[in-house]
């Protein structure tokens, strides 16, 4: 039998951070065979393939200092360069701020719609209404609605608007006017300066955490069963009994509910009602790089919503004279069999790159059954009920899925720290 003060469920960045920042004895349990959650990489035929696109960006001096210390000599900072592929041309990011890059007719339609929306100041009850109310019909029709339909694979009227704060840039009317005239040079978004490991892919960040943890306190490839919150004990799948005083859970609420014995008032309906989207990430070898770090693709006839070039982050992720792309495709809820490497995918990709389709080669396919939390109608009330019930029983929920938040890697690290320190 193992006795610890803190039992940590989930070995993604939030769980690893909770372990690192714990000032008492702890035990971390991760059911996957490797640690890191979504922040993982694997070597395939000389390529270092991340599970999906990952870049480090820091607003917290503490996290920046931590990352720079741990990855000293293996971290490269650079300004983000991203664009939108629209009708065969690249438009600077964000679309709504650089209307001058668009064909004249589309530019004028989008500018007129933005002016009208700003003057009307209409309220919005869901994300689709919010897009139209903030950006106008032109920007909504040409970019915001088709792109987000591809990302979420869900009717946008089903999504709330709370998650948009600090995630979707909303330029001022003056900025949009200047962007339409071609005189705007401002960078938008929360990730203007980014960093990436020189070698090892994003796995290098996970490995830096793991190297600072006591391996005797890690249970990888195992799962807690029967999380008894009354008796403060659980049994792992290797039959190891663990007694604990408190729990930090970074796993999906539905997964936490499945291992919690039901005593009638367990908020199962709320926990299992928390949905996330599914993403397939294709790692593709190319003889040429993208023209920028990543490109958003709103065209709904193209399967992928974004393609990035991790060999522009660091050339070490690909063999000499080759580049590594990551191609992201979202799947509708409940579907796991999409995101294929076929003509519908390699055809548009070859046109974007300006190479023959035969020059592109699939390296790896990663299926992420939970990529981004859905913020659908009533999500805040549901997760609030779940958090309240578990908090009353000594369980702190943290991380992207525990907290149910649109978190960056930095935010996951900070959330794990806060959970460990009881903030």
């Amino acid at each position: 039998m193992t006795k610890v003060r803190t039992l940590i469920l989930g070995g993604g960045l939030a769980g690893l951070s909770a372990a690192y920042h714990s000032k008492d004895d702890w035990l971390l349990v991760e059911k996957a065979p490797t640690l890191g959650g979504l922040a993982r990489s694997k070597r395939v035929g000389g390529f270092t393939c991340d599970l999906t696109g990952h870049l480090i960006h820091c607003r917290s001096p503490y996290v920046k200092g931590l990352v720079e210390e741990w990855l000293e000599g293996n971290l490269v900072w650079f300004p983000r360069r991203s664009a939108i592929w629209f009708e065969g041309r690249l438009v600077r990011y964000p679309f709504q701020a650089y209307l001058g890059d668009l064909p004249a007719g589309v530019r004028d339609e989008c500018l007129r719609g933005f002016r009208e929306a700003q003057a009307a100041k209409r309220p919005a009850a869901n994300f689709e209404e919010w897009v139209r109310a903030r950006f106008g019909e032109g920007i909504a029709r040409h970019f915001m609605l088709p792109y987000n339909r591809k990302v979420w694979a869900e009717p946008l009227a089903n999504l709330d608007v709370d998650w948009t704060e600090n995630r979707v840039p909303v330029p001022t009317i003056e900025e949009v006017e200047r962007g339409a005239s071609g005189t705007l040079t401002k960078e938008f978004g929360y990730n203007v300066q980014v960093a990436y490991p020189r070698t090892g892919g994003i796995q290098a960040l996970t490995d830096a955490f793991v190297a600072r943890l006591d391996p005797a306190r890690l249970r990888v490839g195992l799962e807690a069963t029967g999380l008894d919150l009354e008796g403060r004990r659980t049994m792992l799948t290797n039959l190891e009994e663990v007694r604990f005083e408190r729990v930090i859970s970074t796993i999906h609420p539905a997964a936490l509910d499945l291992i919690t014995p039901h005593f009638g008032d367990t908020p199962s309906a709320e926990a299992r009602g928390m949905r996330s989207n599914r993403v397939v990430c294709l790692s593709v070898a190319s003889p040429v790089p993208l023209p920028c770090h990543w490109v958003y693709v709103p065209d709904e006839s193209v399967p992928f919503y974004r393609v990035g070039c991790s060999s522009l982050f660091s050339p070490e992720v690909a063999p000499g004279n080759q580049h590594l792309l990551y191609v992201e495709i979202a799947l509708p809820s409940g579907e796991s069999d999409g995101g294929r490497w076929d003509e519908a995918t390699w055809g548009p990709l070859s046109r974007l790159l300006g190479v023959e389709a035969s020059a592109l080669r699939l390296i790896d396919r990663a299926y992420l059954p939970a990529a981004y939390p859905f913020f659908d109608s009533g999500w805040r009330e549901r997760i609030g009920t779940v958090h309240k019930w578990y908090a009353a029983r000594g369980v702190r929920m943290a991380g992207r899925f525990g907290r149910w938040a649109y978190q960056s890697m930095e935010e996951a690290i900070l959330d794990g720290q806060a959970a460990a320190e009881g903030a």
Side-chain angles (χ1 to χ4, degrees):
M1 183 177 65
T2 302
K3 291 184 177 181
V4 294
R5 178 164 191 269
T6 304
L7 173 66
I8 302 170
L9 301 177
L13 289 183
L16 294 174
S17 177
Y20 174 77
H21 290 98
S22 289
K23 296 180 175 60
D24 49 43
D25 58 326
W26 53 270
L27 188 77
L28 186 149
V29 180
E30 167 56 55
K31 72 175 182 178
T34 56
L35 295 163
L38 297 176
R40 287 185 286 133
S41 314
K42 62 178 177 178
R43 293 286 292 174
V44 183
F47 293 84
T48 302
C49 304
D50 294 341
L51 283 189
T52 186
H54 280 297
L55 282 168
I56 299 165
H57 42 86
C58 299
R59 287 182 281 194
S60 160
Y62 171 70
V63 174
K64 184 177 182 181
L66 208 66
V67 170
E68 289 182 332
E69 176 189 347
W70 290 359
L71 297 178
E72 183 180 5
N74 191 32
L75 190 68
V76 181
W77 286 93
F78 48 91
R80 175 207 70 207
R81 292 184 291 114
S82 55
I84 298 96
W85 192 32
F86 181 80
E87 295 186 0
R89 68 175 71 191
L90 291 178
V91 176
R92 283 170 290 176
Y93 172 87
F95 184 97
Q96 56 270 27
Y98 288 103
L99 302 181
D101 293 349
L102 299 169
V106 178
R107 176 201 64 203
D108 295 343
E109 178 191 355
C110 291
L111 181 57
R112 182 170 59 252
F114 189 82
R115 288 167 174 161
E116 292 170 354
Q118 293 298 297
K121 298 186 182 303
R122 295 186 300 272
N126 58 59
F127 181 62
E128 183 171 342
E129 291 181 5
W130 181 85
V131 166
R132 290 194 164 96
R134 290 295 183 276
F135 300 106
E137 289 297 325
I139 294 172
R141 183 167 70 88
H142 288 291
F143 176 69
M144 292 293 291
L145 294 182
Y147 175 74
N148 279 285
R149 279 195 292 262
K150 291 176 69 175
V151 171
W152 298 105
E154 177 88 359
L156 300 183
N158 292 351
L159 298 184
D160 206 342
V161 298
D162 290 353
W163 66 274
T164 59
E165 185 178 1
N166 298 323
R167 300 297 178 184
V168 182
V170 183
T172 65
I173 185 65
E174 291 79 14
E175 290 168 339
V176 172
E177 297 275 3
R178 289 175 56 201
S181 67
T183 61
L184 183 68
T185 59
K186 176 181 176 179
E187 293 288 349
F188 290 82
Y190 57 93
N191 56 351
V192 173
Q193 285 290 127
V194 294
Y196 190 77
R198 190 183 304 275
T199 61
I202 203 62
Q203 183 74 42
L205 176 60
T206 291
D207 290 347
F209 259 117
V210 176
R212 287 158 177 81
L213 301 178
D214 180 356
R217 297 177 182 272
L218 301 173
R219 300 291 186 271
V220 182
L222 299 173
E223 192 171 2
T225 63
L227 187 67
D228 181 356
L229 299 178
E230 299 288 333
R232 320 306 288 171
R233 61 186 178 183
T234 189
M235 185 75 75
L236 306 186
T237 45
N238 66 346
L239 302 184
E240 177 183 2
E241 183 181 355
V242 179
R243 292 185 178 270
F244 55 84
E245 295 180 26
R246 65 169 187 158
V247 176
I248 296 175
S249 174
T250 69
I251 65 177
H252 197 291
L256 180 60
D257 178 75
L258 283 172
I259 63 172
T260 305
H262 290 218
F263 296 108
D265 64 341
T266 309
S268 294
E270 291 84 355
R272 300 188 190 191
M274 306 306 297
R275 298 184 299 129
S276 50
N277 76 340
R278 293 165 164 81
V279 168
V280 168
C281 183
L282 305 176
S283 295
V284 178
S286 169
V288 298
L290 284 175
C292 55
H293 295 123
W294 69 88
V295 176
Y296 303 99
V297 184
D299 185 346
E300 291 184 275
S301 70
V302 176
F304 52 90
Y305 62 85
R306 182 171 64 174
V307 54
C309 187
S310 52
S311 54
L312 289 179
F313 309 163
S314 168
E316 301 294 331
V317 302
N321 301 319
Q322 296 192 67
H323 289 273
L324 179 61
L325 310 178
Y326 57 89
V327 181
E328 298 171 324
I329 304 169
L331 307 180
S333 180
E335 184 177 322
S336 61
D337 192 35
R340 297 180 180 84
W341 179 243
D342 54 19
E343 187 176 359
T345 301
W346 70 60
L349 189 58
S350 68
R351 293 193 294 274
L352 171 59
L353 294 164
V355 299
E356 294 293 327
S358 59
L360 304 175
R361 180 164 55 97
L362 180 66
I363 300 298
D364 188 52
R365 180 186 188 275
Y367 169 59
L368 310 180
Y372 298 105
F374 271 132
F375 301 98
D376 51 2
S377 179
W379 74 272
R380 190 176 293 279
E381 291 75 18
R382 290 197 302 275
I383 197 63
T385 298
V386 173
H387 284 167
K388 183 178 179 180
W389 190 91
Y390 278 101
R393 291 157 178 81
V395 179
R396 172 72 177 260
M397 300 177 71
R400 173 178 291 195
F401 293 107
R403 177 78 64 184
W404 208 259
Y406 196 113
Q407 286 188 340
S408 65
M409 292 188 290
E410 177 192 46
E411 290 164 333
I413 291 169
L414 290 172
D415 207 31
Q417 177 191 18
E421 296 177 352

